[in-house]
Structure formats: C-alpha cells, structure tokens
Amino acid sequence: MKLLEILKDYEENFCNKMCCIETSYKEMNFIHVYFSKTDLHHLLGLHKVISGSATNSIKSIESGYLTLNHIRKHKNSGIIRPRIDSYPFIHEIFLKKDVELCIVEKDIDPNTMYLNLIIYKNKGHEVIVLGLKKNNKNSIYYIATLHKTYENKYQNARKTKIRNIIWLD
C-alpha cells in the first residue's frame, strides 16, 4: 500500500471515530479507543524518517512529498517498512474482529513503552503488535505503536479475551 492510500483508508475507516473493546478482565471491561489522524505518525514510525510534528508528516503525505520512495532512501527504511506492511492488522482487529486476545497493562512485562494494552497476533515466525496507551485525563485509549518482532516475548503472558468491539460513532 502507498502512504497516501493508507492515509485515505485510515481517514475513511477510523479517523475521529471511537469504538469500545469489551474484554473479560473485570478491571478493564470496557476500553474506549479514539482514532486520530495524527496517530499514523507514530503508528507507521514516520518520526524515524521525517522531522517535525505528526501534523506536518500527515501534510507531507497529502501533498505527495512523503512517499514510499522517500522512505526507501532513508537509513531507517528497514525499521519503517514492516510497520507500513502491518497496517492491515488494524483492519483485522477493529473491522474484521479477527483477533480474540489481548494483554492488559498489569501483564505486560517488560513494558518499556508504558503501554496500557497490547493486541498481537502470531504470524508464522513473526509477531505483529499493536500497542495502545490510555489518556489518564479522560480514560480514553489511543493507538501508540504498530510493529513486528521476531521474538514472542508475550508467549507466556496472561491473555485477556476480547469479547466484542462496538463502534460508537
């Protein structure tokens, strides 16, 4: 997928929308997730190839300045490409509802990114990870990271069942 295609898809399916993830964990039965256009900046790792704010990187995609060709020329392209390739995982989680398990904050160890929720999927010898953080002011979660890893550090972590995902907007 091209960056502009990803941005347009994200705008159409997720931007300015909220969903509720219902889990089997009593302390986090209902998790409200809000999707912002600027989430893509960190989600795709654009901060590793372009300086400036999330708003500026989104504008660079919209104007056609920031493209996959631009990223390929950057020394960090090897870090970014797997994130871009993993974008469909967001569809699997929130639209297709194909992911049934998550890991809540108390069971994430180590938690160097201070994530409050991890949704992941084993895909062969890879693990695709979507990390969410909670805004403590309003208790709403937002997408913070999307990446692949080749070691399943969550294999022995306690899993929480995702019962349902309901779109509120």
Side-chain angles (χ1 to χ4, degrees):
M1 272 184 118
K2 295 179 180 178
L3 288 180
L4 188 56
E5 289 173 350
I6 289 173
L7 177 60
K8 287 182 178 184
D9 179 83
Y10 194 78
E11 286 176 322
E12 182 180 322
N13 291 296
F14 301 104
C15 277
N16 302 320
K17 295 180 182 178
M18 186 178 296
C19 71
C20 179
I21 301 173
E22 182 183 355
T23 75
S24 61
Y25 180 51
K26 289 180 188 177
E27 304 295 320
M28 293 171 72
N29 263 35
F30 299 99
I31 300 165
H32 291 86
V33 181
Y34 181 77
F35 298 85
S36 171
K37 189 180 201 178
T38 53
D39 292 343
L40 280 178
H41 179 73
H42 281 284
L43 195 66
L44 300 179
L46 300 178
H47 59 288
K48 296 181 183 286
V49 296
I50 189 170
S51 59
S53 69
T55 302
N56 288 340
S57 67
I58 298 302
K59 286 180 182 176
S60 293
I61 293 170
E62 290 171 332
S63 72
Y65 171 74
L66 184 59
T67 64
L68 288 178
N69 285 333
H70 180 89
I71 290 172
R72 280 188 197 107
K73 296 174 188 172
H74 196 280
K75 64 180 181 177
N76 290 333
S77 65
I79 299 169
I80 306 305
R81 191 60 203 214
R83 290 178 181 225
I84 293 168
D85 293 342
S86 297
Y87 174 76
F89 184 53
I90 298 169
H91 277 259
E92 289 179 41
I93 297 167
F94 296 105
L95 299 179
K96 295 179 183 174
K97 302 177 185 178
D98 281 348
V99 180
E100 297 176 357
L101 298 174
C102 62
I103 303 172
V104 297
E105 182 178 17
K106 71 177 185 61
D107 297 320
I108 301 171
D109 186 37
N111 193 358
T112 57
M113 292 184 65
Y114 306 105
L115 298 171
N116 300 100
L117 183 72
I118 289 177
I119 302 172
Y120 78 101
K121 178 180 182 178
N122 289 320
K123 190 174 182 182
H125 61 284
E126 300 173 329
V127 180
I128 304 173
V129 179
L130 181 72
L132 293 89
K133 289 186 177 184
K134 179 180 174 181
N135 180 330
N136 290 322
K137 292 180 183 176
N138 59 16
S139 297
I140 293 175
Y141 290 70
Y142 61 94
I143 295 176
T145 187
L146 174 67
H147 62 272
K148 284 184 184 178
T149 181
Y150 294 97
E151 60 177 291
N152 189 351
K153 53 186 157 189
Y154 310 114
Q155 185 173 357
N156 296 321
R158 184 183 345 205
K159 309 324 183 269
T160 297
K161 180 148 180 58
I162 296 174
R163 291 185 172 150
N164 198 8
I165 298 176
I166 302 162
W167 286 95
L168 304 176
D169 295 299

